[in-house]
């Protein structure tokens, strides 16, 4: 650039500075503002406070290395056999995920050194490769040793001297099942109120519930009971805490930042935690499975933030031996306690949409969507053999929902189907929808399937927990629907038992013991509740609870609660307790009530024969219970009478005490008053007569009377 050009640039900069100063003066600035900090300024705001969401994604020395695995003990071959070896290894390890890069170190003679590096798309795939192929036998001479690249430092820093672990003193956790020994079989329930700031646990005693434990800010979100009722889980910013025992002491802690969702395994051996914040950051520890008793992390997984999250991602078998998930058109089944893939491989199932476990057997059901001329398919497989025990092809399928009966006797698949398609301009168009229910009879030979077709829109479906009935809410609505009850008789016959028309309900709530059901209209304008005894389909009560949002049965089926949650409505927050027949027992108005959850009970230890014997002799037992109830009521009356007598006695003693004090100080009080004031007061005193009507009689006098 010439010197003249440089001079022109400098002149231009000076003109810009002059114009900027003129603009500051026009805007009221007498001098150019200075945004620099004073010399003695101390910044007390850390980067963590300002940029915490960005610092979580700050790269580290280990970033990207978690995706890399080292496969040791591979064959050492020359250039003539290298391509064949690479093809074999790539075919094996690509089953665990997409391989981005591979590197085979060579010696001076271009012969492989006996190990290879594979870089996967994400850490989860790399961990799957370690779990799947560590110890894999390629041939008689070569057994793979597979490790993540980040494990190198762990093995390098192993101390030469072994230190014996410190023996920790055993501390008893108390009886975690004490609540099952309650003499009157009262159940416990937890209540969250004051907009979530207060948490309390009550005993459902009569005539009023007894407070067992109350604590402020016990949880930061909500609470959740474990499936068998042993633990109560609370949510915190740093993780999850489990509480139990007679004093609800803290039994376990699981550190996982910003946990949003948790899921217990059915036998309470494991707990799964998910952090949505780590999911969005594509963190390898977004999902963690923990061992509850040892409080150790068993395995961590990442989740794709671009995909819709369906919780729980992992679904457990009834005995905690297996858990599974759908990942990239494949069904991955893991086994415990190794937490590795079952048979070290995933099952490739193109088009798989959903799956579910049987609640009583290691049988897994999944369905596959239609693909051009290939029909949709519902398949049942046994685990761990993966043998297919039943399959059903379905056509014109839009969606499927699978519902297991609680005892695992039946599986009902609700199929949303298109009506017959019409071809218009080389495109198929569907004119409407209809619905099928495919009922699999799991206890019958060869698992026969019964079909039920309903033309109307399906609002809700629910199995009777103990029994062979199910209920369906259907109709076009939106104000009224029909409720149909079906039963499965001998053989494979599904028959209609009862149909109720013009019902204002959108939810079904069966009693845990079966037979009784509540038809509820939640989060709508109706607020109705109907209690039905399905033994003869008698409506025992029809009532309402204004703005009701929640319905919860107790684990025995004796009581049911309805609540208006502050999370849905800001007024009329309360919960009401009903009997199983719909009799209102009591109302509880709590400030900003949010949630009520009954404490679950483990399955009964009684045999089926013993249960039948109890039902047979129920009248004999009921007479004993009636006597016990009368004694309890008399005890309540006696306690109430004693309480009233005590209060009356305290009042009488206090009255006599004050009367004695009044009489003792009367002379002194008169002395303190002047005689003039007393005379003036006596002159001012006047008498006033008050008349009021006590009784009015009207007598009719006959004119003919003398």
């Amino acid at each position: 650039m010439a010197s003249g050009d440089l001079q022109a640039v400098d002149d231009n900069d000076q003109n810009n500075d002059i114009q900027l100063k003129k603009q500051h003066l026009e805007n009221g600035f007498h001098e150019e503002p200075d945004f620099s900090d004073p010399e003695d300024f101390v910044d007390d705001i850390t980067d963590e406070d300002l940029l915490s969401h960005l610092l979580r994604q700050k790269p580290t020395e280990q970033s990207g290395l978690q995706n890399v695995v080292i496969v040791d003990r591979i064959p050492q071959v020359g250039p003539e056999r290298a391509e064949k070896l690479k093809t074999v290894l790539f075919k094996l390890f690509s089953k665990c995920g997409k391989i981005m890069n591979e590197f085979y170190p060579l010696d001076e003679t271009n012969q492989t050194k006996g190990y290879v590096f594979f870089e996967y798309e994400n850490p989860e795939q790399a961990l799957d490769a370690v779990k799947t192929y560590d110890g894999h036998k390629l041939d008689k001479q070569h057994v793979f040793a597979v490790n993540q690249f980040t494990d190198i430092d762990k093995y390098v820093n192993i101390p030469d001297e072994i230190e014996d672990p410190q023996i920790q003193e055993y501390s008893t956790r108390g009886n975690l099942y004490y609540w099952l020994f309650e003499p009157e079989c009262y159940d416990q329930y937890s209540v969250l109120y004051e907009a979530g700031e207060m948490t309390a646990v009550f005993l459902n005693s009569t005539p009023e519930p007894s407070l067992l434990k109350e604590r402020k800010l016990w949880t930061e979100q909500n609470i959740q009971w474990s499936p068998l009722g042993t633990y109560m889980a609370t949510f915190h910013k740093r993780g999850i805490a489990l509480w139990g025992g007679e004093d609800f002491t803290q039994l376990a802690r699981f550190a996982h930042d910003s946990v949003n969702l948790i899921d217990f395994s059915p036998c309470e051996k494991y707990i799964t935690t998910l952090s949505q914040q780590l999911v969005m950051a594509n963190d390898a520890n977004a999902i963690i499975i923990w061992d509850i008793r040892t409080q150790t992390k068993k395995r961590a997984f990442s989740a794709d933030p671009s995909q819709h999250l369906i919780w729980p991602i992992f679904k457990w078998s009834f005995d905690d031996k297996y858990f599974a998930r759908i990942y990239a058109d494949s069904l991955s089944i893991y086994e415990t306690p190794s937490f590795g893939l079952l048979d070290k491989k995933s099952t490739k199932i193109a088009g798989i949409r959903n799956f579910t476990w049987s609640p009583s057997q290691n049988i897994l059901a999944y369905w596959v969507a239609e693909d051009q001329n290939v029909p949709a398919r519902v398949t049942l497989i046994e685990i761990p053999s993966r043998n297919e025990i039943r399959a059903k092809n379905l056509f014109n399928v839009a969606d499927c929902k699978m519902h297991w009966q609680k005892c695992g006797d039946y599986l009902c698949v609700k199929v949303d189907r298109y009506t017959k398609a019409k071809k218009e301009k080389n495109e198929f168009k569907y004119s409407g929808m209809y619905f099928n229910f495919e009922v699999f009879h799991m206890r019958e030979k060869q698992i026969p399937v019964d079909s039920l077709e309903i033309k109307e829109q399906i609002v809700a479906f629910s199995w009777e927990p103990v029994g062979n009935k199910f209920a369906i809410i259907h109709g076009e609505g939106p104000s009224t629907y029909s409720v149909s009850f079906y039963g499965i008789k001998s053989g494979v016959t599904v028959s209609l038992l009862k149909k109720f028309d013009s019902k204002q309900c959108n939810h079904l709530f069966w009693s845990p013991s079966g037979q009784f059901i509540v038809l509820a209209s939640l989060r709508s304008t109706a607020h109705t509740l109907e209690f039905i005894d399905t033994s003869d389909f008698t409506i025992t009560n029809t009532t309402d609870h204004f703005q009701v949002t929640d319905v919860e049965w107790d684990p025995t089926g004796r009581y049911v609660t309805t609540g208006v949650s502050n999370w849905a409505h800001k007024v009329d927050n309360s919960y009401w307790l009903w009997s199983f027949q719909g009799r209102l027992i009591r109302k509880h108005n709590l400030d900003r009530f949010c949630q009520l959850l009954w404490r679950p009970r483990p399955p009964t230890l009684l045999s089926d024969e013993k249960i039948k014997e109890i039902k047979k002799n129920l009248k004999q037992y009921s007479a004993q219970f009636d006597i016990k109830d009368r004694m309890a009521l008399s005890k309540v009356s006696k306690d109430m009478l004693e309480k009233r007598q005590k209060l009356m006695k305290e009042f009488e003693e206090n009255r006599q005490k004050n009367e004695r004090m009044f009489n003792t100080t009367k002379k002194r009080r008169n002395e303190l008053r002047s005689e003039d004031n007393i005379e003036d007061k006596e002159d001012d005193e006047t008498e006033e007569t008050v008349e009021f009507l006590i009784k009015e009689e009207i007598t009719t006098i006959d004119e003919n009377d003398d």
Side-chain angles (χ1 to χ4, degrees):
M1 183 178 291
S3 59
D5 295 336
L6 292 173
Q7 184 64 36
V9 171
D10 293 339
D11 294 340
N12 189 28
D13 291 341
Q14 292 178 1
N15 292 333
N16 289 338
D17 292 340
I18 293 172
Q19 293 295 330
L20 184 61
K21 290 181 179 180
K22 287 182 179 180
Q23 186 176 357
H24 280 299
L25 292 174
E26 292 175 359
N27 293 335
F29 295 112
H30 298 289
E31 59 182 13
E32 186 176 350
D34 185 10
F35 296 101
S36 59
D37 295 327
E39 294 182 359
D40 57 346
F41 175 76
V42 177
D43 190 357
D44 58 351
I45 302 178
T46 63
D47 292 340
E48 182 67 27
D49 295 332
L50 293 175
L51 306 171
S52 58
H53 61 291
L54 294 177
L55 290 177
R56 293 181 187 276
Q57 305 176 21
K58 179 182 177 181
T60 63
E61 294 181 0
Q62 303 296 332
S63 297
L65 298 181
Q66 294 178 340
N67 301 9
V68 180
V69 297
I70 307 173
V71 185
D72 201 359
R73 302 175 188 167
I74 67 172
Q76 299 182 15
V77 298
E80 66 280 357
R81 298 177 57 192
E83 288 302 322
K84 184 177 180 180
L85 175 65
K86 292 180 181 179
T87 302
V88 172
L89 295 181
F90 185 86
K91 185 177 180 180
L92 283 174
F93 284 87
S94 60
K95 293 179 181 179
C96 298
K98 185 177 180 181
I99 296 178
M100 309 299 293
N101 291 299
E102 58 181 50
F103 175 67
Y104 289 82
L106 304 176
D107 59 12
E108 297 80 3
T109 61
N110 289 332
Q111 188 175 5
T112 59
K113 290 187 175 182
Y115 56 92
V116 59
F117 297 87
F118 286 121
E119 181 184 1
Y120 283 94
E121 194 173 16
N122 55 55
E124 183 182 4
Q125 296 175 1
L127 192 58
D128 279 343
V130 174
K131 294 282 186 179
T132 304
Y133 290 107
D134 186 30
H136 178 78
K137 189 175 182 179
L138 182 65
D139 52 38
K140 293 182 179 180
Q141 288 80 25
H142 300 91
V143 179
F144 294 154
V146 186
N147 293 281
Q148 284 185 290
F149 191 83
T150 52
D151 291 337
I152 293 178
D153 293 337
K154 179 176 69 174
Y155 295 130
V156 168
N157 296 326
I158 294 177
D160 297 332
E161 298 181 0
I162 299 177
E163 295 183 3
D164 294 333
Q166 295 181 355
I167 300 177
Q168 297 182 356
E169 184 178 353
Y170 172 76
S171 59
T172 178
R173 300 193 298 177
N175 185 4
L176 301 183
Y177 305 99
Y178 78 97
W179 49 280
L180 298 175
F181 296 94
E182 213 287 320
E184 304 300 329
C185 297
Y186 293 137
D187 284 296
Q188 297 180 8
Y189 61 87
S190 61
V191 176
L192 200 65
Y193 61 103
E194 290 190 6
E197 292 187 1
M198 291 296 295
T199 304
V201 180
F202 289 92
L203 184 70
N204 188 34
S205 55
T206 56
E208 294 295 329
S210 304
L211 179 64
L212 300 178
K213 194 73 173 180
E214 187 178 37
R215 184 176 294 180
K216 189 173 183 180
L217 300 178
W218 202 345
T219 181
E220 297 179 10
Q221 295 183 31
N222 59 339
I223 61 176
Q224 185 172 326
W225 292 99
S226 59
L228 304 181
T230 309
Y231 308 103
M232 185 181 75
T234 56
F235 291 73
H236 308 274
K237 186 176 181 180
R238 295 185 178 181
I240 296 294
L242 299 186
W243 310 78
E246 297 187 26
D247 295 327
F248 285 92
T249 55
Q250 189 178 102
L251 303 177
R253 291 183 299 174
F254 305 99
H256 196 183
D257 287 343
S258 304
V259 172
N260 304 96
L261 299 168
I262 65 172
D263 180 50
F264 286 93
S265 63
C267 298
E268 300 183 345
K269 293 181 181 178
Y270 309 102
I271 183 173
T272 307
T273 60
L274 177 140
S275 171
Q276 186 65 39
Q277 185 174 339
L278 298 182
V279 170
M280 299 307 297
N282 200 18
D283 193 285
N285 293 309
I287 305 171
I288 301 178
I289 300 179
W290 308 83
D291 186 301
I292 292 179
R293 294 182 180 179
T294 61
Q295 303 180 41
T296 55
K297 181 170 71 173
K298 306 304 293 185
R299 186 159 180 184
F301 299 86
S302 61
D304 190 349
S306 63
Q307 294 184 353
H308 177 64
L309 180 63
I310 300 176
W311 187 256
I313 294 178
F314 294 97
K315 298 179 182 179
W316 291 87
S317 63
F318 81 103
D319 55 3
D320 286 8
K321 288 185 177 180
Y322 308 98
F323 62 99
R325 71 176 295 190
I326 295 176
Y327 184 78
D329 269 353
S330 64
L331 181 62
S332 300
I333 303 174
Y334 302 84
E335 57 184 345
T336 60
S338 67
F339 286 84
L341 281 170
L342 179 63
D343 298 331
K344 298 186 177 181
K345 63 179 180 180
S346 297
T347 304
K348 193 73 175 179
I349 306 174
I352 185 172
R353 293 295 181 85
N354 203 356
F355 74 97
T356 180
W357 288 92
S358 166
S360 59
Q361 304 176 78
N362 281 326
I363 294 177
L364 189 145
Y366 67 88
W367 78 278
V368 178
E370 282 187 278
D371 184 14
Q372 297 180 356
N373 295 328
V374 179
R377 185 179 175 91
V378 176
T379 306
L380 300 173
I381 60 174
E382 286 182 327
I383 302 299
S385 65
R386 303 181 198 252
N387 293 334
E388 182 179 306
I389 59 175
R390 189 66 167 91
K392 175 80 173 178
N393 290 334
L394 304 169
F395 297 90
N396 301 329
V397 175
D399 193 15
C400 286
K401 294 288 187 298
M402 294 176 287
H403 305 272
W404 283 97
Q405 189 239 18
K406 185 178 179 180
C407 300
D409 296 338
Y410 306 99
L411 168 66
C412 181
V413 181
K414 172 182 168 287
V415 185
D416 301 353
R417 282 179 162 167
Y418 297 111
T419 54
K420 191 174 181 180
K422 296 181 180 180
K423 193 172 184 180
E424 297 180 4
K425 297 181 180 180
N426 296 327
E427 292 184 0
F428 286 98
K429 293 187 177 181
Y430 299 95
S431 56
M433 299 278 293
Y434 69 101
F435 306 91
N436 268 68
F437 292 91
E438 307 290 339
V439 181
F440 292 74
H441 301 254
M442 301 301 299
R443 307 300 182 186
E444 301 287 338
K445 188 177 181 180
Q446 296 181 347
I447 311 180
V449 181
D450 203 5
S451 296
L452 173 67
E453 182 177 314
I454 294 181
K455 297 292 185 181
E456 297 176 313
Q457 181 71 31
I458 304 299
V459 178
F461 171 93
S462 183
W463 277 105
E464 181 183 19
V466 182
N468 57 359
K469 294 190 289 287
F470 60 86
I472 304 172
I473 301 178
H474 55 94
E476 300 304 325
S479 58
T480 59
Y481 297 100
S482 297
V483 182
S484 298
F485 291 88
Y486 291 86
I488 303 175
K489 298 181 179 179
S490 59
V492 292
T493 304
V494 176
S495 58
L496 179 65
L497 301 177
K498 184 68 176 180
K499 182 179 180 181
F500 295 96
D501 293 320
S502 302
K503 294 295 182 183
Q504 293 181 325
C505 61
N506 52 21
H507 286 76
L508 300 165
F509 297 95
W510 283 97
S511 165
S513 58
Q515 183 177 344
F516 298 95
I517 190 173
V518 176
L519 311 181
S521 179
L522 303 185
R523 304 175 188 268
S524 67
T525 57
H527 323 298
T528 58
L529 300 168
E530 282 198 72
F531 295 79
I532 298 177
D533 183 353
T534 61
S535 62
D536 54 4
F537 294 99
T538 303
I539 299 177
T540 57
N541 191 20
T542 300
T543 181
D544 62 72
H545 186 175
F546 182 64
Q547 293 186 339
V548 59
T549 58
D550 303 286
V551 176
E552 295 284 344
W553 280 94
D554 85 313
T556 62
R558 294 178 296 174
Y559 304 100
V560 61
T561 57
T562 58
V564 180
S565 175
N566 182 259
W567 292 332
H569 301 288
K570 301 304 178 185
V571 294
D572 298 326
N573 301 137
S574 64
Y575 69 91
W576 296 359
L577 183 70
W578 310 77
S579 70
F580 64 93
Q581 294 176 323
R583 177 175 61 87
L584 181 61
I585 299 175
R586 54 178 174 260
K587 299 180 181 180
H588 293 273
N589 295 320
L590 285 177
D591 180 29
R592 292 170 291 171
F593 163 78
C594 296
Q595 179 193 47
L596 183 146
L597 291 177
W598 291 92
R599 187 171 191 171
R601 284 178 173 266
T604 178
L605 300 177
L606 299 176
S607 62
D608 293 339
E609 292 76 15
K610 188 64 176 178
I611 294 175
K612 290 180 181 179
E613 180 184 343
I614 293 174
K615 289 183 177 180
K616 184 179 179 180
N617 301 323
L618 192 59
K619 291 184 178 179
Q620 176 184 350
Y621 293 116
S622 62
Q624 298 176 6
F625 293 145
D626 290 339
I627 296 174
K628 205 169 186 179
D629 290 341
R630 285 194 295 269
M631 292 177 63
L633 289 175
S634 63
K635 182 180 178 182
V636 170
S637 301
K638 183 180 178 181
D639 293 343
M640 185 67 70
L641 182 61
E642 291 177 353
K643 183 178 180 181
R644 289 176 179 175
Q645 290 176 347
K646 182 180 179 181
L647 291 174
M648 190 64 187
K649 184 179 179 181
E650 291 176 354
F651 169 76
E652 186 64 26
E653 291 176 353
N654 190 38
R655 188 189 67 80
Q656 292 176 2
K657 176 183 177 181
N658 291 332
E659 187 177 359
R660 288 193 301 269
M661 183 182 296
F662 178 81
N663 294 330
T664 304
T665 59
K666 182 177 180 180
K667 183 178 179 181
R668 179 58 179 164
R669 284 187 284 106
N670 289 335
E671 292 175 354
L672 294 175
R673 297 194 184 101
S674 64
E675 295 181 359
D676 295 338
N677 291 339
I678 294 175
E679 292 176 358
D680 294 340
K681 185 176 181 181
E682 291 177 354
D683 294 339
D684 292 340
E685 290 179 354
T686 58
E687 272 191 16
E688 182 178 357
T689 303
V690 179
E691 296 182 357
F692 55 90
L693 182 64
I694 297 177
K695 186 178 181 181
E696 181 179 358
E697 292 185 357
I698 300 176
T699 305
T700 303
I701 301 175
D702 194 347
E703 295 179 356
N704 297 328
D705 293 343
D706 294 336

PDB file of all heavy atoms in Angstrom, residues 197-210:
ATOM      1  N   GLU A 197     -42.973 -28.157  48.808  1.00  0.00           N
ATOM      2  CA  GLU A 197     -41.976 -27.844  49.839  1.00  0.00           C
ATOM      3  C   GLU A 197     -42.085 -28.767  51.051  1.00  0.00           C
ATOM      4  O   GLU A 197     -41.110 -28.967  51.770  1.00  0.00           O
ATOM      5  CB  GLU A 197     -42.124 -26.388  50.277  1.00  0.00           C
ATOM      6  CG  GLU A 197     -41.744 -25.377  49.198  1.00  0.00           C
ATOM      7  CD  GLU A 197     -41.742 -23.960  49.727  1.00  0.00           C
ATOM      8  OE1 GLU A 197     -42.024 -23.776  50.934  1.00  0.00           O
ATOM      9  OE2 GLU A 197     -41.460 -23.032  48.946  1.00  0.00           O
ATOM     10  N   MET A 198     -43.270 -29.298  51.312  1.00  0.00           N
ATOM     11  CA  MET A 198     -43.479 -30.160  52.474  1.00  0.00           C
ATOM     12  C   MET A 198     -43.824 -31.579  52.020  1.00  0.00           C
ATOM     13  O   MET A 198     -44.608 -31.772  51.093  1.00  0.00           O
ATOM     14  CB  MET A 198     -44.606 -29.624  53.353  1.00  0.00           C
ATOM     15  CG  MET A 198     -44.260 -28.328  54.069  1.00  0.00           C
ATOM     16  SD  MET A 198     -42.900 -28.491  55.252  1.00  0.00           S
ATOM     17  CE  MET A 198     -43.623 -29.608  56.446  1.00  0.00           C
ATOM     18  N   THR A 199     -43.217 -32.555  52.684  1.00  0.00           N
ATOM     19  CA  THR A 199     -43.484 -33.967  52.426  1.00  0.00           C
ATOM     20  C   THR A 199     -43.825 -34.634  53.753  1.00  0.00           C
ATOM     21  O   THR A 199     -43.143 -34.411  54.752  1.00  0.00           O
ATOM     22  CB  THR A 199     -42.271 -34.661  51.795  1.00  0.00           C
ATOM     23  OG1 THR A 199     -41.889 -33.965  50.608  1.00  0.00           O
ATOM     24  CG2 THR A 199     -42.603 -36.105  51.437  1.00  0.00           C
ATOM     25  N   ALA A 200     -44.881 -35.449  53.732  1.00  0.00           N
ATOM     26  CA  ALA A 200     -45.305 -36.133  54.951  1.00  0.00           C
ATOM     27  C   ALA A 200     -45.699 -37.559  54.610  1.00  0.00           C
ATOM     28  O   ALA A 200     -46.149 -37.849  53.497  1.00  0.00           O
ATOM     29  CB  ALA A 200     -46.473 -35.402  55.609  1.00  0.00           C
ATOM     30  N   VAL A 201     -45.519 -38.450  55.592  1.00  0.00           N
ATOM     31  CA  VAL A 201     -45.945 -39.843  55.464  1.00  0.00           C
ATOM     32  C   VAL A 201     -46.960 -40.104  56.575  1.00  0.00           C
ATOM     33  O   VAL A 201     -46.684 -39.837  57.756  1.00  0.00           O
ATOM     34  CB  VAL A 201     -44.757 -40.816  55.581  1.00  0.00           C
ATOM     35  CG1 VAL A 201     -45.242 -42.255  55.452  1.00  0.00           C
ATOM     36  CG2 VAL A 201     -43.707 -40.513  54.514  1.00  0.00           C
ATOM     37  N   PHE A 202     -48.144 -40.615  56.182  1.00  0.00           N
ATOM     38  CA  PHE A 202     -49.235 -40.846  57.122  1.00  0.00           C
ATOM     39  C   PHE A 202     -49.546 -42.335  57.202  1.00  0.00           C
ATOM     40  O   PHE A 202     -49.311 -43.093  56.258  1.00  0.00           O
ATOM     41  CB  PHE A 202     -50.496 -40.103  56.685  1.00  0.00           C
ATOM     42  CG  PHE A 202     -50.423 -38.610  56.838  1.00  0.00           C
ATOM     43  CD1 PHE A 202     -49.998 -37.810  55.783  1.00  0.00           C
ATOM     44  CD2 PHE A 202     -50.780 -37.990  58.026  1.00  0.00           C
ATOM     45  CE1 PHE A 202     -49.934 -36.438  55.909  1.00  0.00           C
ATOM     46  CE2 PHE A 202     -50.722 -36.619  58.164  1.00  0.00           C
ATOM     47  CZ  PHE A 202     -50.294 -35.835  57.106  1.00  0.00           C
ATOM     48  N   LEU A 203     -50.112 -42.719  58.346  1.00  0.00           N
ATOM     49  CA  LEU A 203     -50.695 -44.045  58.530  1.00  0.00           C
ATOM     50  C   LEU A 203     -52.203 -43.886  58.415  1.00  0.00           C
ATOM     51  O   LEU A 203     -52.802 -43.050  59.099  1.00  0.00           O
ATOM     52  CB  LEU A 203     -50.314 -44.602  59.906  1.00  0.00           C
ATOM     53  CG  LEU A 203     -50.779 -46.036  60.202  1.00  0.00           C
ATOM     54  CD1 LEU A 203     -50.000 -47.031  59.355  1.00  0.00           C
ATOM     55  CD2 LEU A 203     -50.608 -46.354  61.684  1.00  0.00           C
ATOM     56  N   ASN A 204     -52.831 -44.671  57.573  1.00  0.00           N
ATOM     57  CA  ASN A 204     -54.264 -44.535  57.295  1.00  0.00           C
ATOM     58  C   ASN A 204     -55.088 -45.159  58.421  1.00  0.00           C
ATOM     59  O   ASN A 204     -55.847 -46.108  58.227  1.00  0.00           O
ATOM     60  CB  ASN A 204     -54.604 -45.192  55.954  1.00  0.00           C
ATOM     61  CG  ASN A 204     -56.031 -44.912  55.533  1.00  0.00           C
ATOM     62  OD1 ASN A 204     -56.563 -43.832  55.802  1.00  0.00           O
ATOM     63  ND2 ASN A 204     -56.666 -45.875  54.886  1.00  0.00           N
ATOM     64  N   SER A 205     -54.931 -44.603  59.620  1.00  0.00           N
ATOM     65  CA  SER A 205     -55.642 -45.105  60.791  1.00  0.00           C
ATOM     66  C   SER A 205     -57.020 -44.462  60.876  1.00  0.00           C
ATOM     67  O   SER A 205     -57.339 -43.524  60.135  1.00  0.00           O
ATOM     68  CB  SER A 205     -54.835 -44.812  62.054  1.00  0.00           C
ATOM     69  OG  SER A 205     -54.544 -43.416  62.139  1.00  0.00           O
ATOM     70  N   THR A 206     -57.845 -44.966  61.784  1.00  0.00           N
ATOM     71  CA  THR A 206     -59.179 -44.421  61.997  1.00  0.00           C
ATOM     72  C   THR A 206     -59.280 -43.886  63.424  1.00  0.00           C
ATOM     73  O   THR A 206     -58.644 -44.423  64.334  1.00  0.00           O
ATOM     74  CB  THR A 206     -60.251 -45.510  61.784  1.00  0.00           C
ATOM     75  OG1 THR A 206     -59.969 -46.619  62.645  1.00  0.00           O
ATOM     76  CG2 THR A 206     -60.289 -45.970  60.345  1.00  0.00           C
ATOM     77  N   PRO A 207     -60.041 -42.802  63.680  1.00  0.00           N
ATOM     78  CA  PRO A 207     -60.868 -42.093  62.697  1.00  0.00           C
ATOM     79  C   PRO A 207     -60.087 -41.065  61.887  1.00  0.00           C
ATOM     80  O   PRO A 207     -60.558 -40.574  60.885  1.00  0.00           O
ATOM     81  CB  PRO A 207     -61.916 -41.408  63.563  1.00  0.00           C
ATOM     82  CG  PRO A 207     -61.188 -41.132  64.844  1.00  0.00           C
ATOM     83  CD  PRO A 207     -60.269 -42.283  65.041  1.00  0.00           C
ATOM     84  N   GLU A 208     -58.852 -40.738  62.314  1.00  0.00           N
ATOM     85  CA  GLU A 208     -58.025 -39.774  61.619  1.00  0.00           C
ATOM     86  C   GLU A 208     -56.667 -40.392  61.307  1.00  0.00           C
ATOM     87  O   GLU A 208     -56.178 -41.236  62.064  1.00  0.00           O
ATOM     88  CB  GLU A 208     -57.828 -38.511  62.474  1.00  0.00           C
ATOM     89  CG  GLU A 208     -59.095 -37.702  62.708  1.00  0.00           C
ATOM     90  CD  GLU A 208     -59.647 -37.113  61.423  1.00  0.00           C
ATOM     91  OE1 GLU A 208     -58.838 -36.803  60.509  1.00  0.00           O
ATOM     92  OE2 GLU A 208     -60.879 -36.968  61.331  1.00  0.00           O
ATOM     93  N   PRO A 209     -56.043 -39.992  60.201  1.00  0.00           N
ATOM     94  CA  PRO A 209     -54.718 -40.541  59.874  1.00  0.00           C
ATOM     95  C   PRO A 209     -53.672 -40.066  60.876  1.00  0.00           C
ATOM     96  O   PRO A 209     -53.765 -38.973  61.435  1.00  0.00           O
ATOM     97  CB  PRO A 209     -54.444 -39.991  58.470  1.00  0.00           C
ATOM     98  CG  PRO A 209     -55.286 -38.764  58.371  1.00  0.00           C
ATOM     99  CD  PRO A 209     -56.511 -39.030  59.177  1.00  0.00           C
ATOM    100  N   SER A 210     -52.669 -40.906  61.097  1.00  0.00           N
ATOM    101  CA  SER A 210     -51.593 -40.587  62.044  1.00  0.00           C
ATOM    102  C   SER A 210     -50.350 -40.161  61.278  1.00  0.00           C
ATOM    103  O   SER A 210     -49.929 -40.847  60.336  1.00  0.00           O
ATOM    104  CB  SER A 210     -51.270 -41.806  62.915  1.00  0.00           C
ATOM    105  OG  SER A 210     -52.431 -42.271  63.575  1.00  0.00           O
TER     106      SER A 210
END
